[in-house]
Amino acid sequence: MKEDAQTTNVSPRFGTVVLTGATSGIGEATARSLAAQADELILLGVEPEAEVTEVLSGIRHAGEARVEYISADFSRMAEVVRAARAVRALTRSIDLLINDAGVPGAPQRIVTVDGFERTLQVNALAPALFTRLLVPSLARGARIVNVASSAHRVEHFDFTDPDLARHYDVQTAYCRAKLAMVTWSAMLDQEPHGDHVDVVALCPGLNDTPLSAAMMGRIGGPPTQGAARVLYAATASVPSGSYLEHDRVVEPSHDSRDLGNRRRLAALYTGRLLPVAARYGEV
């Protein structure tokens, strides 16, 4: 980030921004705003580029940022690794990384080719691996913004059944995945890179997006409302490791703050992500 939005009266400027989930909903609305605030936008979406040419054209016309697009399906860890490599090939320095990609809980339990429950993988494991692979490219003073949800408060961890093999339903899958993301975000702040990179997680509120419609129907405000909260989290003068709701720093759920849960989640992530990284020569 080139300017502190809290101390100027103009919109903040960014150098290079990497944004996942950029082709619909909150991600697309965020990308349109950033097109006028960034020098370079590296956007990720699940669709092949040919299927989102109109979306990308709209983003490009929203500002002067140089826009690059990478297609990546986060339900396949091989594509997460490929996407991180593609980002590294496009830029040597990232000023802002926004993890917005996500899926709703599916009506029926889906296990990915990697052997993980899909909602957990796409919403929590894949962003963690993607971020891990990009940490060396983060500029000093960069910020990682993780788009989470207040829905994380609804559920509790069950480390004996992280993939919901015994009991699966839509809400449990989504809420536990967001609980994992909120917890991981706070843990990320404690890692060695924390002296030069900020980490902020947020709930974007209830927005009428394809993801929310799949689980709850057409309710909530416009995606621009959520995008405004994402951009606030990207620039707000808040402590690294903060979690925001309604643009205010609040405590996340007890489960996410419990040190035992954090140790168990760290072990789960290590056991799942390191083998993937090693398989593709990233460790």
Side-chain angles (χ1 to χ4, degrees):
M1 187 173 69
K2 293 184 177 180
E3 295 183 45
D4 185 343
Q6 304 299 307
T7 58
T8 67
N9 294 320
V10 297
S11 297
R13 289 293 306 175
F14 300 93
T16 297
V17 180
V18 177
L19 168 64
T20 70
T23 53
S24 66
I26 293 171
E28 180 185 350
T30 301
R32 287 177 181 270
S33 292
L34 285 170
Q37 299 178 40
D39 297 330
E40 179 178 35
L41 274 179
I42 302 176
L43 307 178
L44 281 79
V46 68
E47 304 90 347
E49 185 166 358
E51 295 182 9
V52 288
T53 53
E54 186 174 343
V55 171
L56 295 175
S57 177
I59 293 169
R60 290 187 171 105
H61 280 90
E64 297 183 355
R66 183 171 67 255
V67 176
E68 303 282 355
Y69 180 72
I70 298 168
S71 172
D73 180 356
F74 276 18
S75 69
R76 295 176 175 269
M77 288 300 201
E79 295 204 19
V80 177
V81 175
R82 179 186 58 77
R85 289 173 175 169
V87 170
R88 297 196 309 246
L90 287 170
T91 184
R92 298 173 64 181
S93 182
I94 299 167
D95 300 290
L96 175 62
L97 168 59
I98 303 175
N99 287 307
D100 176 66
V103 293
Q108 301 294 325
R109 180 173 177 266
I110 298 173
V111 177
T112 70
V113 295
D114 302 289
F116 311 135
E117 191 275 317
R118 188 191 69 161
T119 322
L120 178 68
Q121 176 166 325
V122 176
N123 294 359
L125 297 175
L129 177 61
F130 185 65
T131 299
R132 176 79 57 206
L133 297 178
L134 293 183
V135 162
S137 299
L138 295 174
R140 180 165 294 278
R143 178 165 286 188
I144 301 167
V145 174
N146 295 319
V147 182
S149 173
S150 60
H152 83 276
R153 300 182 185 281
V154 175
E155 274 292 334
H156 303 283
F157 283 117
D158 181 357
F159 290 103
T160 69
D161 187 25
D163 293 296
L164 302 174
R166 292 196 300 269
H167 174 70
Y168 176 89
D169 68 48
V170 171
Q171 299 297 334
T172 300
Y174 183 78
C175 295
R176 285 192 185 171
K178 289 301 185 181
L179 174 58
M181 172 172 254
V182 170
T183 308
W184 161 70
S185 189
M187 293 160 52
L188 187 62
D189 176 59
Q190 302 301 312
E191 296 189 5
H193 60 74
D195 60 341
H196 73 277
V197 175
D198 285 347
V199 184
V200 178
L202 77 143
C203 173
L206 187 58
N207 298 260
D208 184 5
T209 66
L211 188 152
S212 64
M215 294 192 298
M216 297 177 289
R218 299 297 300 273
I219 58 176
T224 51
Q225 172 182 285
R229 287 183 171 156
V230 172
L231 292 172
Y232 178 82
T235 59
S237 294
V238 297
S240 183
S242 293
Y243 169 69
L244 307 180
E245 289 181 1
H246 303 289
D247 295 341
R248 298 193 305 271
V249 177
V250 298
E251 281 195 341
S253 72
H254 178 272
D255 258 44
S256 73
R257 292 180 282 115
D258 181 84
L259 294 181
N261 284 339
R262 291 187 177 188
R263 286 192 294 269
R264 286 184 283 272
L265 185 66
L268 176 70
Y269 274 34
T270 299
R272 296 191 173 196
L273 300 184
L274 283 184
V276 172
R279 188 183 313 148
Y280 298 103
E282 291 288 343
V283 294

